[in-house]
Amino acid sequence: MRAVFAPLLGGLVCASYIVATPSFALAQFGETAQVDAEMTSTNSLDPTAAGTEIRVTDRMVSQSLDELLRQSAGTRVVLSGASGSPFCLRLRGSPCDQSTVLLGEVPLSSPDTGSFDLSLIPIEALDEIQVWRGGAPSWINQGSIGGVLRLMPRRQESNEIGARVTFGSFESWRANAYGGYGGDKVRFFGTAGGAGAKNDYPYLDDGGTIFDPTDDVERRRQNADFTEGLGYANVSAETSDRSTLDMVFLGVGRDRGEPGPGSSPVLTARTKTTRLVGSASWLQEDDGQYPYRLQVLASYDYWRNRFSDPLGRIGSNAPKETDDRNHTVFGRVASTVDLQRWLELTAVATGRYYARKPFDDLATRQDPNSDRLTFSGTVETNFHGKAGNVLLELRPSVLLTWTRAMVATVNDFGQDQGQNSTDLLPTYRVAGAVGPLDWLAIRGSVSSGFRLPTVLELFGNQGVVRGNISLIPEKSIGYDAAVTARGSVGLLSGYASVGFFLSNIENLIRFRRTSQFTIVFENIDSGRNLGVESELRIQITKYFQLFGELTWTQTRDDSTGNALPGQPESQFLQT
């Protein structure tokens, strides 16, 4: 461990020198000015929250989304295969489905679709990645247990046109053309392209006999290829001196093989995915006597997933020709207003309707249609000011969520046997920060969160999964605290942050096998995630950056005393 900690320790010493040097706080160009001081933070939205911002468009070297996500503390990317295969993000040891994925303010993940496949997001469509661990800022209006991954859509400030092509091993390629216009009143950015790979990498097939090396054969992976096309556009237009209309469109289509286990390759199974997201957001800001920001947003999300396995080689061993279609309509109204120099009020209200229509051309009995209706609202008061030379900030907030999930079923006599499940979930967050020095801040928070049972967990399907209408949401209470130092001197700038977190989770949902071919989901005992996370960022001019993160996590399932699956105890990244 000494070799692992040494590089990060050296970086922290360097960052401490940067932020402790008095010259970074002096006025520029020999002038002085009276400004409202800002709390030292690792993010620009909420200094009381554990957030990391990762710029995308400033990169001179092309990087993938999973590579960029590893730059944030408390993250673990879970890959399911080669390029083009699904992957998701775990935050602070929590499973992927305990976190929310947003495109700006539009939710991409759903409590009924499980963990979101981040491989569907083209990096060309993003300006910035925000990783919020634990309780997220009230403007985001989410009460997830693990946190929130917020993908900021790319916007344009200048005129440009170009193209990019990359090639790699196993016939991998990626190409896109892009163009942007940065006018005074209207700004536009658009890109279109594609990607693919054969993914025929070699592997050792042991024939299913681990202890008998005589039948081992080196083979090449088959049916692991993928091809995808993508399109993204953003138009931003000033509707007045104080307001702006933003419209975003994202479309991705992918065709990939399902290769199955290496010892029993599958050559005929394929998955085709289409994802279309469109949103329109109107934002008005005023810096008058009572500065405010008002946003009205609407979006539509269409997701089609087709799976072909005519020989029944994947999953339940039954032949499948599925065509599942998902529709989501989302609306949001949000506002912040400065009632006093020391008091800011934030209020957010959202509504979301999700509908799923499954179909299997080879099934004798179809899975039922289902939908979910959700309304939520957040209110936060932000008290901020100074006591002498010490900056203070306190943000108490409450989030209330009402949801109703319903599945439409018909019995053998044609009678409607629809079932529904309703929950009312209040959550809270109390967070504060103290800035004793211009370059130093100490923050802490207590927050609660939840994960709703999915429609599949509640109502089951016509095959393997039995329904359990008595399931209740997973709930958590999380605590975290951190110390952050930030500043600049000469050509160097950056920050260093070290923090602690603890999350206690109740009513964990896990499946239990009821027979050889059926399972049921049940609420079991509680669990715990405990850890320490640290981040380092040092910018050397605008062309070079040194960053590192170190996370130590310990998880426990209280029902067994064992560690929760899928999370390493420690991980380290430096580049």
Side-chain angles (χ1 to χ4, degrees):
M1 290 296 289
R2 182 178 299 175
V4 172
F5 278 98
L8 185 62
L9 184 59
L12 290 173
V13 171
C14 180
S16 299
Y17 167 75
I18 293 173
V19 298
T21 302
S23 61
F24 86 90
L26 298 178
Q28 300 287 323
F29 311 115
E31 299 290 338
T32 59
Q34 182 67 36
V35 296
D36 292 333
E38 294 186 355
M39 187 80 69
T40 294
S41 176
T42 60
N43 67 84
S44 58
L45 184 58
D46 184 348
T48 68
T52 300
E53 297 173 337
I54 304 169
R55 292 293 300 173
V56 176
T57 52
D58 292 342
R59 307 279 166 164
M60 298 181 66
V61 178
S62 177
Q63 290 180 282
S64 62
L65 181 58
D66 61 294
E67 291 173 332
L68 293 174
L69 289 172
R70 292 185 176 94
Q71 296 178 18
S72 170
T75 62
R76 179 170 182 257
V77 176
V78 181
L79 300 167
S80 64
S83 174
S85 298
F87 73 88
C88 62
L89 184 68
R90 300 185 65 146
L91 296 175
R92 290 182 169 176
S94 297
C96 296
D97 60 3
Q98 289 183 350
S99 298
T100 300
V101 180
L102 304 177
L103 181 65
E105 285 83 23
V106 177
L108 296 179
S109 58
S110 163
D112 296 311
T113 57
S115 58
F116 179 75
D117 178 12
L118 291 169
S119 70
L120 293 174
I121 301 298
I123 198 70
E124 296 87 354
L126 303 181
D127 251 346
E128 182 180 75
I129 300 167
Q130 298 179 1
V131 181
W132 302 98
R133 304 175 298 278
S138 60
W139 183 259
I140 296 178
N141 192 49
Q142 295 291 331
S144 304
I145 293 175
V148 176
L149 173 62
R150 191 183 186 202
L151 307 171
M152 303 303 295
R154 182 168 177 176
R155 289 173 168 82
Q156 195 68 17
E157 300 295 336
S158 60
N159 300 334
E160 70 172 320
I161 188 170
R164 175 180 293 173
V165 179
T166 60
F167 296 95
S169 303
F170 309 112
E171 300 184 26
S172 64
W173 61 275
R174 191 171 194 91
N176 74 293
Y178 58 88
Y181 170 73
D184 293 335
K185 299 292 185 179
V186 178
R187 290 170 292 277
F188 168 81
F189 177 80
T191 182
K198 191 173 182 181
N199 289 331
D200 58 338
Y201 48 86
Y203 71 98
L204 187 66
D205 180 5
D206 63 6
T209 57
I210 301 177
F211 302 106
D212 181 9
T214 60
D215 60 352
D216 293 357
V217 179
E218 183 176 286
R219 304 184 189 276
R220 284 196 171 271
R221 205 71 161 121
Q222 301 181 69
N223 196 38
D225 62 293
F226 86 97
T227 305
E228 73 176 23
L230 65 94
Y232 169 81
N234 172 265
V235 179
S236 178
E238 291 187 8
T239 55
S240 72
D241 293 339
R242 298 177 299 167
S243 61
T244 304
L245 177 65
D246 278 316
M247 291 177 288
V248 174
F249 169 79
L250 173 64
V252 180
R254 175 181 293 163
D255 180 358
R256 64 181 177 88
E258 298 285 355
S263 59
S264 181
V266 177
L267 305 181
T268 56
R270 308 286 298 182
T271 295
K272 295 182 179 180
T273 301
T274 303
R275 193 75 184 252
L276 304 174
V277 182
S279 69
S281 172
W282 178 78
L283 180 67
Q284 179 170 290
E285 298 178 287
D286 193 333
D287 295 328
Q289 181 179 0
Y290 298 101
Y292 71 87
R293 174 175 52 165
L294 173 64
Q295 181 194 51
V296 180
L297 180 148
S299 72
Y300 172 71
D301 185 351
Y302 171 76
W303 176 29
R304 183 182 183 186
N305 194 67
R306 288 168 286 176
F307 175 63
S308 174
D309 183 17
L311 301 181
R313 298 289 305 279
I314 301 289
S316 61
N317 294 325
K320 289 184 178 295
E321 288 288 344
T322 67
D323 188 353
D324 299 339
R325 306 188 186 206
N326 305 265
H327 306 264
T328 302
V329 178
F330 175 75
R332 165 187 165 100
V333 178
S335 179
T336 63
V337 58
D338 291 346
L339 300 176
Q340 301 288 339
R341 285 181 59 88
W342 50 269
L343 175 61
E344 179 186 67
L345 177 67
T346 299
V348 183
T350 63
R352 187 184 193 196
Y353 176 73
Y354 165 80
R356 178 175 181 266
K357 298 180 179 181
F359 177 76
D360 188 347
D361 194 42
L362 301 182
T364 57
R365 188 174 183 181
Q366 299 295 329
D367 286 346
N369 296 341
S370 60
D371 63 40
R372 183 185 292 272
L373 181 64
T374 303
F375 294 101
S376 64
T378 297
V379 176
E380 179 192 75
T381 52
N382 176 11
F383 303 94
H384 53 91
K386 296 182 72 173
N389 292 323
V390 178
L391 291 171
L392 301 172
E393 189 158 337
L394 178 63
R395 293 179 179 243
S397 63
V398 175
L399 167 65
L400 185 63
T401 301
W402 176 87
T403 183
R404 184 231 61 196
M406 186 171 69
V407 60
T409 58
V410 178
N411 63 17
D412 295 333
F413 301 99
Q415 298 172 328
D416 186 2
Q417 289 186 319
Q419 301 180 72
N420 68 82
S421 174
T422 303
D423 287 292
L424 182 63
L425 299 163
T427 57
Y428 65 88
R429 177 174 177 261
V430 180
V434 178
L437 299 170
D438 291 341
W439 53 270
L440 183 68
I442 304 168
R443 64 163 180 81
S445 70
V446 180
S447 62
S448 61
F450 65 88
R451 182 186 80 82
L452 294 168
T454 69
V455 168
L456 177 65
E457 293 167 345
L458 285 168
F459 306 117
N461 57 19
Q462 305 296 330
V464 176
V465 183
R466 294 175 52 195
N468 183 1
I469 196 68
S470 64
L471 281 177
I472 59 177
E474 298 177 336
K475 296 182 179 181
S476 71
I477 297 180
Y479 311 85
D480 76 351
V483 178
T484 301
R486 188 180 196 118
S488 63
V489 54
L491 300 177
L492 303 179
S493 63
Y495 70 82
S497 181
V498 179
F500 158 85
F501 63 88
L502 170 64
S503 179
N504 294 313
I505 309 170
E506 298 179 344
N507 308 322
L508 287 169
I509 298 175
R510 298 292 185 268
F511 75 84
R512 176 176 62 85
R513 185 167 295 280
T514 56
S515 71
Q516 182 179 358
F517 302 107
T518 60
I519 63 172
V520 64
F521 287 90
E522 298 176 335
N523 292 110
I524 62 171
D525 210 334
S526 58
R528 183 196 71 184
N529 297 331
L530 169 71
V532 176
E533 57 191 19
S534 61
E535 278 189 342
L536 171 69
R537 296 285 188 278
I538 298 178
Q539 188 79 34
I540 308 172
T541 71
K542 65 178 181 179
Y543 301 108
F544 302 98
Q545 185 181 67
L546 170 68
F547 62 85
E549 70 89 7
L550 175 63
T551 302
W552 174 82
T553 307
Q554 184 184 74
T555 64
R556 187 181 70 189
D557 183 342
D558 291 339
S559 63
T560 63
N562 299 326
L564 294 171
Q567 180 67 24
E569 185 169 294
S570 64
Q571 61 186 68
F572 174 80
L573 172 68
Q574 182 187 16
T575 185

